Amino acid sequence: MEDLTTLDRLPVGRRATVAALATPGGQRRRMLELGFVPGAAVTPVQESPWGDPVAYSVCGAVIALRRADARLIAVR
């Protein structure tokens, strides 16, 4: 059985693989365009001083996401 969690729960420096997106229409399309596609490797690289947003390395880019958005991305 696979261990799935959400991207917002992944600690800085821990690598995971995108498993699924639970984002609605336009937001889902934007996440896919940014590289958050199933099978892509993703690593949280830095938190803001207040803990939100978090910068993630995905597909050779660093993308900042709010934790509320990262909570909609399942990773393994």
Side-chain angles (χ1 to χ4, degrees), residues 27-53:
Q27 185 181 8
R28 177 182 176 79
R29 185 172 44 254
R30 183 67 179 139
M31 291 295 179
L32 293 169
E33 289 170 353
L34 291 171
F36 293 94
V37 295
V42 60
T43 307
V45 292
Q46 185 177 2
E47 283 185 12
S48 73
W50 299 276
D52 200 18

Side-chain angles (χ1 to χ4, degrees), residues 6 9 11 16 21 23 27 31 33-34 38 54-55 60 64 66 70-71:
T6 55
R9 301 189 71 174
L21 281 76
T23 53
Q27 185 181 8
M31 291 295 179
E33 289 170 353
L34 291 171
V54 176
R66 294 176 295 185
R71 193 170 294 124

